[in-house]
Amino acid sequence: MLELLKELCRLNGVSGAEDPVRNFIQTQAQPYADSLRSDALGNLIVFKRGKKSNENKLLLAAHMDEVGVIVTRITEEGFLKFDFVGGVDRRVAIGKPVVLGENEIPGLIGLKAIHLVSREEEEKVPKTDALYIDIGAKDREEAEKLVPPGTYGSFVGPPQEFGQGFLKAKAIDDRIGCAIMLELLKEDLPLDVTFAFTAQEEVGTRGAFGSAFSVSPEVALVLETTTAADLPGVEGARRVCAPGKGPVISYMDGATIYDRDLFENLRRLAEEHGIPWQTKEYIAGGNDARTIQRSRSGVRVAALSAAVRYLHAPATVGSLADFENMWKLTRLFLADQAAQL
């Protein structure tokens, strides 16, 4: 699964421009799917029959999109003004390389040099309108030929294993969920499963709304990442969770109260099979579960996440052991659901 995850993380798929990711996943899933379709929002919905039939009652979901930038205008000098797509911390974006558009035009997020700022400016985080992207264009006309307004941009963060069992890469959020679902599609499943590779999660879980309504599941498991804050200067419950301590089984976050029985089932399965697990010690964040849960007459939802440092940054860090254990626990969850039929 690791090489598949790396390949997924290399792809660019900012919210609303997930095409490269969706095309790759579709190619990978096609040989194993009983049915496969895309919808108007760009979700890819894949159905595979298992040993027991329950049609579309069980949904697994993971989002394809990542945070990035979008060009809003071009200055006379040929610099690109932009806004962020998704919740990016401006403090970590300055000086970072990006690639723009289908041709992956290289650029760099710039800011007025430290030598030119006032003492007051030094003490504040620059606003987005103070930033720009430099693509080396000589003027507006040259820049517009390469990168017209409306062009998406992705951060550059090639996957790299480092330390004691860690991976750093852009878009681990949520290509790890996509990788796990692709691996499951290759297996003989214990029951019918619908897999939703969703779009536009980072801008308000928009894709999940359409997929949940069209699939109309009874139970959904969202495979995600969540904020790890096991860092210097972060104390107590605000440390939330930590890479290397196992998959995160959520009972509540900032957007969803998860189904208690599903939470207990995941916890029980982890403990019975010797899989380390953790939960979040701080109530914050949200994911596609909030939208899926509220669709139609309601859906029972659970979330299984990898603890990842530096979410929504040009590079993120997660534990290889957590990724593997998240995959194992998802398989056990499917078997447990089949046993209940």
Side-chain angles (χ1 to χ4, degrees):
M1 185 176 67
L2 178 57
E3 292 308 311
L4 175 61
L5 174 58
K6 289 180 179 178
E7 196 162 0
L8 283 163
C9 288
R10 290 187 187 100
L11 299 171
N12 297 324
V14 177
S15 305
E18 299 93 350
D19 306 62
V21 184
R22 183 173 55 253
N23 292 342
F24 174 84
I25 291 174
Q26 181 168 332
T27 299
Q28 294 288 312
Q30 188 78 58
Y32 308 101
D34 287 293
S35 67
L36 185 153
R37 61 185 171 85
S38 293
D39 63 19
L41 285 172
N43 301 303
L44 180 65
I45 299 173
V46 183
F47 176 74
K48 181 171 182 176
R49 296 196 180 279
K51 294 178 182 177
K52 290 187 176 181
S53 177
N54 68 339
E55 293 298 330
N56 60 348
K57 293 182 180 180
L58 177 62
L59 175 70
L60 262 58
H63 69 89
M64 299 180 288
D65 58 315
E66 63 190 276
V67 297
V69 300
I70 189 168
V71 178
T72 55
R73 67 182 180 88
I74 301 174
T75 71
E76 291 293 340
E77 300 84 359
F79 295 103
L80 314 180
K81 304 301 287 186
F82 68 95
D83 207 340
F84 290 108
V85 180
V88 180
D89 187 343
R90 300 188 303 275
R91 298 173 303 170
V92 301
I94 299 166
K96 297 301 189 293
V98 294
V99 290
L100 299 140
E102 294 181 2
N103 294 324
E104 297 192 357
I105 303 299
L108 186 75
I109 296 178
L111 176 69
K112 186 167 58 174
I114 187 67
H115 312 81
L116 304 176
V117 301
S118 66
R119 187 173 299 277
E120 182 182 4
E121 288 176 308
E122 286 183 21
E123 297 174 355
K124 295 180 179 179
V125 178
K127 294 183 178 180
T128 304
D129 60 12
L131 306 177
Y132 56 84
I133 298 174
D134 187 347
I135 62 169
K138 66 180 181 180
D139 55 26
R140 174 185 287 174
E141 183 178 5
E142 183 174 278
E144 282 186 337
K145 290 179 181 178
L146 296 169
V147 187
T151 300
Y152 285 95
S154 298
F155 293 113
V156 178
Q160 182 180 13
E161 295 176 61
F162 76 115
Q164 299 299 310
F166 287 93
L167 176 73
K168 71 177 180 70
K170 76 171 180 68
I172 293 177
D173 176 21
D174 179 32
R175 304 291 160 72
I176 179 57
C178 294
I180 290 171
M181 295 204 311
L182 280 174
E183 289 294 339
L184 289 170
L185 272 164
K186 300 174 185 177
E187 302 179 10
D188 292 329
L189 299 177
L191 76 171
D192 296 349
V193 180
T194 301
F195 300 84
F197 299 87
T198 63
Q200 299 188 40
E201 190 271 352
E202 298 293 6
V203 289
T205 64
R206 298 174 187 175
F209 187 82
S211 64
F213 265 78
S214 66
V215 174
S216 190
E218 294 180 5
V219 171
L221 176 64
V222 175
L223 302 176
E224 252 286 13
T225 65
T226 192
T227 304
D230 56 328
L231 306 168
V234 182
E235 303 297 335
R238 288 185 176 273
R239 296 178 77 88
V240 188
C241 55
K245 292 187 176 182
V248 177
I249 306 174
S250 296
Y251 54 84
M252 180 179 176
D253 58 32
T256 307
I257 297 176
Y258 293 92
D259 184 272
R260 195 68 190 189
D261 287 341
L262 295 178
F263 169 83
E264 292 294 346
N265 284 346
L266 285 166
R267 179 195 58 77
R268 172 183 57 80
L269 290 168
E271 293 179 355
E272 287 178 354
H273 292 84
I275 297 174
W277 70 279
Q278 58 185 316
T279 193
K280 296 169 72 168
E281 298 182 3
Y282 186 73
I283 304 300
N287 56 50
D288 278 340
R290 71 176 185 178
T291 299
I292 295 170
Q293 182 185 54
R294 301 171 191 178
S295 65
R296 294 190 182 270
S297 59
V299 179
R300 298 173 61 209
V301 294
L304 192 57
S305 306
V308 174
R309 295 177 186 145
Y310 325 122
L311 281 183
H312 295 188
T316 56
V317 172
S319 162
L320 300 179
D322 287 350
F323 301 158
E324 187 74 15
N325 283 323
M326 189 171 159
W327 172 54
K328 290 178 181 178
L329 190 50
T330 305
R331 295 174 75 201
L332 291 169
F333 177 81
L334 297 183
D336 187 69
Q337 289 292 301
Q340 296 178 37
L341 292 178

